[in-house]
Amino acid sequence: MRTTIALLLAGLIAVCGGTASRAADAAKLALVIGNAKYPDNEFVLNDAANDAQALADELKRDGFVVDRQTSLTGDAMRQALDRFYARIERGAVALIFFDGFGIQSNRQTYLLPVDAQIWAEPDVSRDGFSLDTILAEMNTRGAAIKIALIDASRRNPFERRFRRYSAGLAPAIAPSNSLVLYSTALGAVAATGKTDRSLFVAELLREMRAPNLSAEQALTNTKNGVVAATNREQVPWLSSSLTTEFSFAGLVARPPDNTPADPASTKPAPQQPVCEVPQAEPTPSADDLARDPVIADLSRKIAANANDAISRYKRGQVYAIKRAHALAMQDFDVVIRRDPRDAQALNNRCWTRAATGDLQGALADCNLALQLDPGLNDAFDSRGLVNLKLGRTAEAIKDYTDAIQRNPRSSSSLFGRGVATRKSGGDGASDIALAKSMDPNIAKEFAGYGVTECVP
């Protein structure tokens, strides 16, 4: 309680009396991280490295002392944060930019180093760095203004190991006088592609360079620009408790122009959607799988100990995620032979069988998994897919609804229920739209299972 009161008083002192000049004259510090090379990911996030460089250059022009880092391991990321905290003086402007993979757990957002080893929920807090904790530490060290710019709402390879959905990021619990901007809405993910630049950062840089524009307005304009450019498919999340005047580019003698109009309001009305069948991702080659570092590491552990069921189960998950279904089946078969009551392994085999068309075998696996663990949410989702492919739309809708009641943010269950509803003669559009807003690649994933939203 004493610490809270002291911090509150410090914040009030920073706000009172000449706030604009105080913010302009205060030390400005930035930690810019672009984590591009995750061994667990299929390709390098070139946009993360390029965007980190571009933002670091802009912040330097704006008078920030910048520490730019790329592809940090957990130890290196901890050291970078410690250096950042140590440089913060009372009254400073402190900014962190992170581009890479993020994940939410227990209603917190965690930023992931490149060597994170995440196979279950507890691993997130062990290997990730809590954004709430980072902001709180910036505040404790005396920063008058705290800014966090987070471009980490990508669908990542870590969540799919223990979740059937991609949860995006959680709201930040930020101290007073803070600005936090995420590249997408809470609980949503942006499409991940092999691009060299991020739309979010391009919009951000343009607004940061505008003179006579407050930092809060710059971030608001960034949000509006992304919304307009993506026809509302990507909606950044902005949280502000800023009370001190601050501008990235500073003020000039000319009075500021009127506040720019919301670009989203002038965007032409979108055309009516056309039902298109997305092309499913191709199955990786044997050489691609052999070069995968996660698979190689798990294979070494299995070769050293043939009874290592945990490594075999994990390898089966990775194979399934990479659409190497035959290899995934082999691993799950071994795990289940050793423990026929392993509900999670049965669910994973059900999902894999459903993807390959062995629907009766998949149904038996899912039914047994739910018999062993009646609350296993992922098994309802998997059985929904089985029933959908069997043409049993009523049963599919019920399974997906049961899954959604347990997890309303499951893009897989929402999309599946929308398709099942549409195939049964209903609308289903709201479920499908919500699923796509959370995961822009969900239609492509279902196309890989042989399921599309189009109804003849």
Side-chain angles (χ1 to χ4, degrees):
M1 179 64 72
R2 184 182 304 168
T3 302
T4 302
I5 293 173
L7 293 173
L8 177 60
L9 289 174
L12 290 173
I13 291 171
V15 172
C16 296
T19 54
S21 61
R22 283 175 181 267
D25 297 337
K28 296 189 287 189
L29 308 168
L31 173 60
V32 175
I33 299 174
N35 278 354
K37 296 180 180 179
Y38 288 85
D40 288 10
N41 200 40
E42 294 181 65
F43 52 85
V44 175
L45 303 177
N46 290 322
D47 58 329
N50 294 336
D51 290 341
Q53 180 65 66
L55 191 77
D57 292 343
E58 178 59 34
L59 289 170
K60 288 176 183 177
R61 284 191 288 269
D62 295 338
F64 279 79
V65 177
V66 179
D67 179 13
R68 182 184 68 86
Q69 300 290 330
T70 56
S71 297
L72 296 180
T73 64
D75 287 342
M77 196 161 163
R78 187 172 294 105
Q79 292 169 11
L81 284 166
D82 287 343
R83 289 195 305 270
F84 177 56
Y85 299 146
R87 296 201 321 268
I88 295 175
E89 303 171 358
R90 186 156 297 280
V93 178
L95 180 149
I96 182 167
F97 170 82
F98 179 86
D99 200 333
F101 284 135
I103 191 171
Q104 71 160 282
S105 178
N106 295 322
R107 300 182 181 179
Q108 289 192 56
T109 288
Y110 289 86
L111 313 180
L112 300 182
V114 297
D115 61 347
Q117 292 295 310
I118 295 174
W119 296 94
E121 198 84 37
D123 298 337
V124 177
S125 58
R126 183 198 65 199
D127 284 3
F129 292 83
S130 165
L131 179 59
D132 291 0
T133 301
I134 293 171
L135 287 165
E137 186 66 22
M138 291 160 64
N139 191 61
T140 300
R141 296 298 180 111
I145 296 176
K146 285 75 60 177
I147 302 173
L149 307 173
I150 309 298
D151 194 1
S153 304
R154 296 174 172 87
R155 193 171 195 187
N156 63 63
F158 304 102
E159 284 178 305
R160 294 303 301 272
R161 295 173 181 169
F162 64 96
R163 294 176 180 156
R164 280 297 317 280
Y165 64 100
S166 189
L169 304 183
I173 308 301
S176 62
N177 228 21
S178 298
L179 274 172
V180 181
L181 181 65
Y182 291 169
S183 58
T184 67
L186 300 176
V189 292
T192 300
K194 300 177 183 180
T195 58
D196 291 329
R197 294 291 181 187
S198 157
L199 168 66
F200 169 74
V201 172
E203 294 289 334
L204 176 63
L205 290 171
R206 183 173 63 191
E207 298 301 332
M208 288 175 64
R209 292 165 183 158
N212 294 311
L213 197 64
S214 71
E216 182 172 356
Q217 188 61 55
L219 299 194
T220 299
N221 291 352
T222 299
K223 172 183 175 180
N224 292 337
V226 173
V227 169
T230 63
N231 199 18
R232 305 196 69 84
E233 289 184 3
Q234 183 175 336
V235 182
W237 178 78
L238 174 63
S239 172
S240 174
S241 60
L242 203 61
T243 56
T244 304
E245 294 181 23
F246 175 70
S247 170
F248 290 110
L251 302 175
V252 296
R254 181 177 58 83
D257 296 328
N258 293 331
T259 302
D262 183 348
S265 64
T266 59
K267 185 73 175 180
Q271 297 179 347
Q272 290 299 316
V274 177
C275 187
E276 297 180 354
V277 179
Q279 185 174 359
E281 293 288 344
T283 300
S285 67
D287 288 341
D288 290 336
L289 294 172
R291 286 193 296 265
D292 184 275
V294 177
I295 292 175
D297 180 61
L298 292 170
S299 296
R300 283 192 295 270
K301 292 178 180 178
I302 294 167
N305 178 11
N307 295 320
D308 186 351
I310 295 176
S311 293
R312 193 174 291 275
Y313 173 76
K314 290 178 179 179
R315 191 176 67 176
Q317 287 179 300
V318 177
Y319 278 143
I321 292 168
K322 291 182 175 295
R323 302 170 301 283
H325 296 121
L327 295 172
M329 284 290 298
Q330 293 176 16
D331 280 339
F332 292 139
D333 285 345
V334 172
V335 173
I336 292 168
R337 277 200 301 270
R338 290 175 178 167
D339 182 4
R341 298 182 62 81
D342 188 331
Q344 289 283 1
L346 285 163
N347 167 62
N348 275 276
R349 193 171 70 177
C350 169
W351 175 34
T352 307
R353 280 178 159 168
T356 58
D358 180 11
L359 300 180
Q360 293 302 327
L363 188 61
D365 278 345
C366 270
N367 286 340
L368 182 53
L370 286 167
Q371 180 182 334
L372 294 168
D373 185 354
L376 185 55
N377 178 67
D378 284 352
F380 283 109
D381 179 89
S382 298
R383 193 171 68 180
L385 176 62
V386 177
N387 282 321
L388 180 58
K389 294 190 70 173
L390 284 168
R392 300 165 52 175
T393 54
E395 291 86 347
I397 292 170
K398 183 179 185 308
D399 279 334
Y400 281 130
T401 300
D402 285 341
I404 292 165
Q405 287 175 347
R406 291 167 172 80
N407 174 27
R409 302 298 299 175
S410 172
S411 58
S412 173
S413 299
L414 285 164
F415 188 85
R417 187 174 71 175
V419 172
T421 301
R422 183 170 286 180
K423 291 183 182 297
S424 67
D427 184 4
S430 59
D431 277 345
I432 292 171
L434 181 56
K436 287 181 175 179
S437 72
M438 292 189 291
D439 181 359
N441 292 316
I442 192 65
K444 183 178 291 188
E445 177 184 328
F446 268 71
Y449 308 147
V451 174
T452 73
E453 62 189 281
C454 301
V455 176

